[in-house]
Amino acid sequence: MGLTLTEKILKNHIVDGEMVKGTEIGIRIDQTLTQDATGTMAYLEFEAMGVPRVKTERSVAYIDHNTLQNGFENADDHRFIGSVAKKHGIYFSRPGNGICHQVHLERFGVPGKTLIGSDSHTPTGGGIGMIAIGAGGLDVAVAMGGGAYYITCPKVVKVELTGKLQPWVAAKDVILEVLRIMSVKGGVGKVIEYCGEGVKTLSVPERATITNMGAELGATTSIFPSDEITKQFLKAQGREEVWVPLAADEDAVYDEVINIDLSKLVPLAACPHMPDNVKSVKEIGNIKIDQVCIGSCTNSSLLDMMKVAHILKGKTVNPDVSLSIAPGSKQVLNMLAKNGLLSVMIDAGARILESACGPCIGMGQSPNSNGVSLRTFNRNFEGRSGTKDGQIYLVSPEMAAASAITGILTDPRDLGEMPEFTLPEKFDINDNMIVLPADEKDMDSVEILRGPNIKPYPETAPLVEEISCNVSLKVGDNITTDHIMPAGAKILPLRSNIPAISQHCFTVCDEDFPRRAKNLGASIIVGGANYGQGSSREHAALAPLYLGIKAVLVKSFARIHRANLINAGILPLTFVNEADYDKISQGDQIEIKNIRNDISADKTELTVINKTTGDSIPVLCELTGRTKDIILAGGLLDYTRENLK
Ligand code: MIC
Ligand code: SF4
């Protein structure tokens, strides 16, 4: 029986467990990446492990999320990350060099290698045939220290692409179609592998758009084969030597198959407030818009920017619309500057932003009250833009640029002939914004520079025998990490200060939660299905940890968040019967007994006694050998420390 591409790469990297779907496997990690919003914590954790130099083939620290620097906090974090990177053997991509995923694809990604990143859109690397997975900062720290990364051996879904995209239909529409079919929960426990004749019609930046936004499916990752097109891309980046051909075997067996005829797709948009709320322009109607933002790790490649510039050429942005454009990397921005297209954008009235995440993470450009904003980004969760009642639509660069001109949601096909242009064969290569680590012999002399906003990891303790406390919060389905630990210009500067950032935990849902939880001392949270979807931010586990949360009891979890809870030593519990969700309310007093004993004895079913109502609620705490030991130790940091002894 042949193998899928996913299985081939995983098989090459497995160091623990067997390739049996649904079971836990440990894989060797070749490369890691961090960004600044998750990076400070990841490096504090790496330091706490006491490993002098990273053991990966390549580790890169990017600064791209917090680049506003309205206060000393971000600047201090950047300086700290830069100094840690220098000392411990990590490449440092300076602020201004671009968004981590875009730069990593351009300058570091290698087909067939494994990459984990402390950012959920790490699967962008799947665009060149990597197994690239988003993970919590602590998992990345462990991988930098040479430890394996653990995942559930995934099911593999084949997306068979046939045909060719029609003019004005984009890679973004492909992933929006997949989201429409599979939903934001549909990818959990799966890798999405793209195959078929249609693959050959897609360039690397287009493939990367698709794998990037595969994160919104909840998938472990997404991957394209590595072929001649991949080779061309790497050649244009001056890195042809890292190319290897990679594809699934002809007779590979998949767990699920989805067929998409590219030639049948039409321009689509994800409507407020979920990436899977996908409709065509016809279905939505030509609504009036207030803002257009082009950029983010999903759509900020040179290809996307050139499309946008050609659409804007000789036109003026509608007077009722604010258009901002953030090219994804210094390379892209500089090439646009050199080929004159930057000037075309400026001429049309675009507001050019720094090559960084910017508005995608709520760092500026919040829309006006109730404003309609079209964005080429990947997430439109409520409030993420910084405007609570903002109406965010996720669209292709083509639709964004067309609509910026007309002032209404526009099917780009209405613009007539699609402009034609060719991508350069050679990209502009200048890595002078990437700082190399110190040589091994000099690393001892590098001083780590810490600012006053950088506070240590919260305290943890080994798992207790009994939890007796209140339910401090009850929430519904599809709670995102943007609900649990919001981002944005006010809160992001606190990413290395857990006590301070905790004051914002869940405030989107309940202003009083942080105070209430802290006052209770110990408590649990109850939630619905797909709890913790979205970002990889471990702050969504560390802030609850700091606020005394001992367990989270839900209908189901999103993958990375569940791992982050375990890493933080918080018990992840699921209802045996989902209907029992109704048997527990906020404020109820609960009790769970014999926890340590039962978990040590591999019992997966525990009982939550609702002392307020008298109900006995069976819950699952499914932990495998290693995750069990992590929970018993009080979290991954304690576990790793114990195991390094
Ligand atoms: C995001 O898009 O939500 C982020 C910001 O990139 C996060 C990481 C973070 O919260 O720092 C992600 O996707 O993992
Ligand atoms: Fe940055 Fe947005 Fe991409 Fe997250 S999704 S890495 S915030 S550009």
Side-chain angles (χ1 to χ4, degrees):
M1 196 174 77
L3 294 179
T4 64
L5 175 53
T6 307
E7 286 158 353
K8 287 188 188 180
I9 303 179
L10 289 179
K11 239 180 127 191
N12 266 334
H13 287 84
I14 191 161
V15 289
D16 198 2
E18 303 283 330
M19 290 285 295
V20 178
K21 289 180 187 172
T23 64
E24 198 183 41
I25 53 170
I27 54 171
R28 189 182 72 249
I29 296 301
D30 302 319
Q31 300 193 339
T32 64
L33 72 79
T34 57
Q35 39 91 336
D36 49 313
T38 53
T40 5
M41 238 342 123
Y43 294 115
L44 286 170
E45 290 153 354
F46 178 75
E47 283 190 303
M49 273 172 221
V51 178
R53 211 167 163 88
V54 291
K55 301 205 168 125
T56 45
E57 291 173 14
R58 177 75 77 240
S59 286
V60 190
Y62 294 91
I63 307 290
D64 54 0
H65 279 60
N66 272 312
T67 52
L68 276 189
Q69 302 186 203
N70 51 347
F72 66 92
E73 291 91 345
N74 291 158
D76 281 4
D77 282 358
H78 301 169
R79 197 179 52 160
F80 166 71
I81 294 176
S83 63
V84 172
K86 189 160 211 163
K87 192 176 186 79
H88 297 291
I90 300 150
Y91 285 60
F92 179 62
S93 172
R94 298 176 57 194
N97 195 42
I99 306 175
C100 55
H101 309 303
Q102 175 66 26
V103 179
H104 206 84
L105 195 73
E106 291 168 357
R107 306 304 310 138
F108 295 109
V110 176
K113 298 281 179 185
T114 52
L115 161 72
I116 65 167
S118 59
D119 191 281
S120 60
H121 291 101
T122 304
T124 313
I128 53 168
M130 302 186 85
I131 285 285
I133 308 179
L138 193 41
D139 285 315
V140 176
V142 169
M144 287 191 287
Y149 176 58
Y150 285 81
I151 51 169
T152 306
C153 185
K155 289 189 178 159
V156 187
V157 180
K158 173 183 188 172
V159 178
E160 172 94 24
L161 300 176
T162 51
K164 186 176 183 319
L165 291 171
Q166 300 279 352
W168 296 111
V169 185
K172 186 63 160 278
D173 301 311
V174 178
I175 186 61
L176 288 174
E177 174 69 5
V178 179
L179 271 154
R180 197 184 60 74
I181 298 170
M182 294 184 78
S183 92
V184 290
K185 301 195 275 262
V188 177
K190 303 172 188 170
V191 172
I192 318 296
E193 203 171 296
Y194 290 85
C195 317
E197 283 300 298
V199 164
K200 291 197 198 117
T201 68
L202 297 172
S203 64
V204 164
E206 291 175 301
R207 296 174 184 186
T209 293
I210 295 171
T211 57
N212 168 284
M213 206 172 168
E216 273 52 65
L217 298 163
T220 305
T221 189
S222 304
I223 189 167
F224 272 84
S226 167
D227 57 10
E228 284 301 316
I229 292 169
T230 322
K231 188 177 178 181
Q232 280 310 316
F233 173 81
L234 290 168
K235 190 169 173 205
Q237 292 289 348
R239 304 200 294 118
E240 196 185 349
E241 73 288 351
V242 303
W243 179 76
V244 282
L246 294 169
D249 291 330
E250 291 274 321
D251 56 345
V253 180
Y254 290 87
D255 297 285
E256 241 175 87
V257 179
I258 292 176
N259 291 300
I260 296 183
D261 181 351
L262 295 174
S263 61
K264 296 248 162 66
L265 292 183
V266 297
L268 297 167
C271 303
H273 297 288
M274 274 296 148
D276 61 358
N277 189 10
V278 174
K279 298 193 176 120
S280 66
V281 179
K282 221 196 201 139
E283 287 168 306
I284 304 167
N286 294 113
I287 51 171
K288 191 174 169 333
I289 57 172
D290 302 289
Q291 186 193 50
V292 173
C293 298
I294 298 177
S296 93
C297 56
T298 317
N299 280 120
S300 60
S301 64
L302 184 67
L303 175 71
D304 286 333
M305 293 295 146
M306 287 180 75
K307 278 186 201 166
V308 167
H310 280 95
I311 296 170
L312 293 176
K313 199 170 195 157
K315 308 265 179 9
T316 297
V317 173
N318 185 281
D320 292 338
V321 175
S322 161
L323 167 67
S324 66
I325 302 180
S329 67
K330 170 188 169 234
Q331 182 185 71
V332 173
L333 180 57
N334 206 11
M335 286 179 79
L336 292 171
K338 289 184 183 169
N339 68 17
L341 290 176
L342 186 62
S343 157
V344 169
M345 293 171 166
I346 298 170
D347 255 343
R351 303 164 64 181
I352 306 298
L353 306 180
E354 186 180 14
S355 293
C357 300
C360 179
I361 190 60
M363 294 300 255
Q365 306 296 319
S366 300
N368 54 277
S369 296
N370 209 19
V372 174
S373 176
L374 302 192
R375 300 177 162 211
T376 64
F377 306 169
N378 48 41
R379 289 190 173 141
N380 58 347
F381 302 145
E382 198 172 358
R384 182 176 163 101
S385 66
T387 302
K388 196 155 191 312
D389 58 5
Q391 305 290 311
I392 314 298
Y393 292 77
L394 306 174
V395 301
S396 67
E398 286 87 334
M399 194 186 291
S403 308
I405 299 166
T406 59
I408 53 173
L409 181 71
T410 301
D411 185 328
R413 293 175 299 182
D414 295 348
L415 294 190
E417 284 279 293
M418 194 170 76
E420 288 211 6
F421 61 90
T422 43
L423 269 180
E425 273 178 25
K426 272 237 98 5
F427 282 62
D428 213 39
I429 297 156
N430 180 354
D431 289 331
N432 63 350
M433 292 291 277
I434 297 172
V435 183
L436 301 189
D439 284 344
E440 206 149 351
K441 59 174 179 19
D442 301 327
M443 54 189 257
D444 286 347
S445 61
V446 179
E447 191 196 340
I448 303 291
L449 305 166
R450 267 174 247 275
N453 184 45
I454 300 176
K455 297 279 185 286
Y457 193 84
E459 266 180 48
T460 50
L463 183 68
V464 291
E465 196 58 278
E466 187 177 320
I467 295 176
S468 175
C469 62
N470 286 76
V471 177
S472 52
L473 185 72
K474 183 173 179 186
V475 287
D477 287 347
N478 285 325
I479 285 294
T480 73
T481 47
D482 280 296
H483 292 107
I484 308 174
M485 199 58 265
K490 275 194 228 106
I491 307 177
L492 271 187
L494 306 174
R495 280 289 180 94
S496 37
N497 185 340
I498 299 296
I501 205 169
S502 300
Q503 301 314 311
H504 301 274
C505 184
F506 265 120
T507 46
V508 183
C509 306
D510 183 340
E511 286 266 333
D512 200 37
F513 170 74
R515 199 192 50 83
R516 188 167 63 241
K518 197 75 191 149
N519 283 348
L520 285 169
S523 64
I524 73 160
I525 293 172
V526 175
N530 200 21
Y531 179 89
Q533 67 164 323
S535 150
S536 67
R537 60 189 74 149
E538 58 190 333
H539 302 77
L542 296 180
L545 169 69
Y546 177 80
L547 295 173
I549 302 302
K550 302 294 173 208
V552 177
L553 170 57
V554 298
K555 291 182 185 168
S556 64
F557 284 104
R559 178 185 69 88
I560 307 179
H561 185 61
R562 181 175 185 274
N564 283 338
L565 287 174
I566 295 173
N567 289 351
I570 297 177
L571 273 184
L573 306 175
T574 49
F575 291 102
V576 171
N577 309 308
E578 287 197 358
D580 286 347
Y581 171 83
D582 296 327
K583 290 192 182 153
I584 187 160
S585 308
Q586 190 165 310
D588 283 358
Q589 217 202 330
I590 60 106
E591 195 173 79
I592 318 174
K593 288 192 161 154
N594 291 331
I595 310 174
R596 198 177 169 89
N597 249 334
D598 286 352
I599 289 182
S600 306
D602 287 329
K603 262 188 82 179
T604 50
E605 195 170 313
L606 307 174
T607 307
V608 173
I609 299 164
N610 187 337
K611 298 192 68 164
T612 308
T613 62
D615 283 317
S616 255
I617 303 170
V619 298
L620 286 178
C621 184
E622 287 173 307
L623 300 168
T624 56
R626 178 180 157 275
T627 47
K628 180 182 91 177
D629 293 341
I630 293 174
I631 280 284
L632 291 172
L636 182 58
L637 200 55
D638 304 82
Y639 169 85
T640 309
R641 269 201 219 107
E642 270 173 31
N643 282 279
L644 281 177
K645 270 180 207 155

